[in-house]
Amino acid sequence: MTLKPIISAIFAVLAMLATFAGPAAAASAAAIEADARDTLERFYRNVGGARDLAQKSVGMLVFPSVVKAGMGIGGEYGEGVLFERGHPNTYYNTVSASIGFQLGVQARSVIIMFMNRQALASFRRTDGWKVGVDGSIAIITVGAGGSIDTSRITSPIVGFILDPKGLMYNLTLEGSKISRIRK
């Protein structure tokens, strides 16, 4: 097998990501923060117990829009903000790549909650934090109109993946790399 088809596929995916994620990549800190707050409000409205869980967390990393594009080889990109005690603190991006059957473009929101100071400190210490390598995120799945039993969540880091309508996906963040950015 020659490299030409593989390189062509990689460039096609990069072009799709640039087309759909380009405006998000240029977002200002204020725009990211506003979109993140809107995402949190949608999360609180749609999932019972979400606000209580958020109040128990020591930090929340919110990616309002993570765009995934693929054509055999895929990738995703999004920018977000880390809130501590309700205040925006630091800005991050998330990037991942994948190989396998995939075609098209989709957007989703990601919320990652750090439930204790050790987990948050470990995340902040690592530049280029890799999900599944530097730390694990327990993805909590909740259907439309469902609720969270906050007393049963014991993981130090939990995550939620939402589609534009607010429904939760049963997906993974494994292989995503989260890096600090300047805004």
Side-chain angles (χ1 to χ4, degrees):
M1 179 177 201
T2 66
L3 287 178
K4 189 173 183 179
I6 294 171
I7 292 171
S8 296
I10 290 171
F11 280 117
V13 168
L14 290 174
M16 282 194 303
L17 277 174
T19 299
F20 292 98
S28 68
I32 293 170
E33 181 186 339
D35 290 345
R37 288 190 188 280
D38 288 345
T39 298
L40 286 173
E41 282 306 314
R42 182 169 42 100
F43 178 57
Y44 298 154
R45 249 190 338 269
N46 292 328
V47 179
R51 192 177 302 271
D52 291 339
L53 185 64
Q55 289 173 346
K56 290 180 180 181
S57 73
V58 296
M60 290 189 300
L61 181 56
V62 181
F63 294 98
S65 180
V66 178
V67 177
K68 181 175 186 174
M71 195 169 71
I73 297 173
E76 66 180 34
Y77 181 83
E79 292 183 346
V81 60
L82 175 66
F83 290 99
E84 291 185 57
R85 290 181 229 106
H87 300 288
N89 187 306
T90 313
Y91 296 87
Y92 291 86
N93 68 16
T94 181
V95 177
S96 71
S98 58
I99 297 175
F101 179 76
Q102 51 200 334
L103 179 63
V105 177
Q106 70 180 141
R108 60 189 180 159
S109 299
V110 175
I111 300 170
I112 300 169
M113 294 184 186
F114 298 91
M115 303 311 294
N116 64 47
R117 295 219 174 273
Q118 290 172 317
L120 180 59
S122 176
F123 170 76
R124 293 190 68 134
R125 264 194 315 271
T126 307
D127 187 36
W129 196 78
K130 294 175 191 77
V131 178
V133 175
D134 296 312
S136 294
I137 299 174
I139 299 297
I140 308 296
T141 56
V142 180
S147 63
I148 302 167
D149 182 0
T150 60
S151 66
R152 303 189 86 196
I153 295 176
T154 58
S155 299
I157 306 172
V158 295
F160 300 88
I161 302 171
L162 298 83
D163 74 4
K165 296 175 185 163
L167 301 176
M168 309 311 239
Y169 279 110
N170 186 12
L171 298 175
T172 181
L173 297 173
E174 293 290 316
S176 298
K177 181 178 177 185
I178 301 172
S179 302
R180 208 170 292 123
I181 57 174
R182 287 189 173 88
K183 285 291 172 182

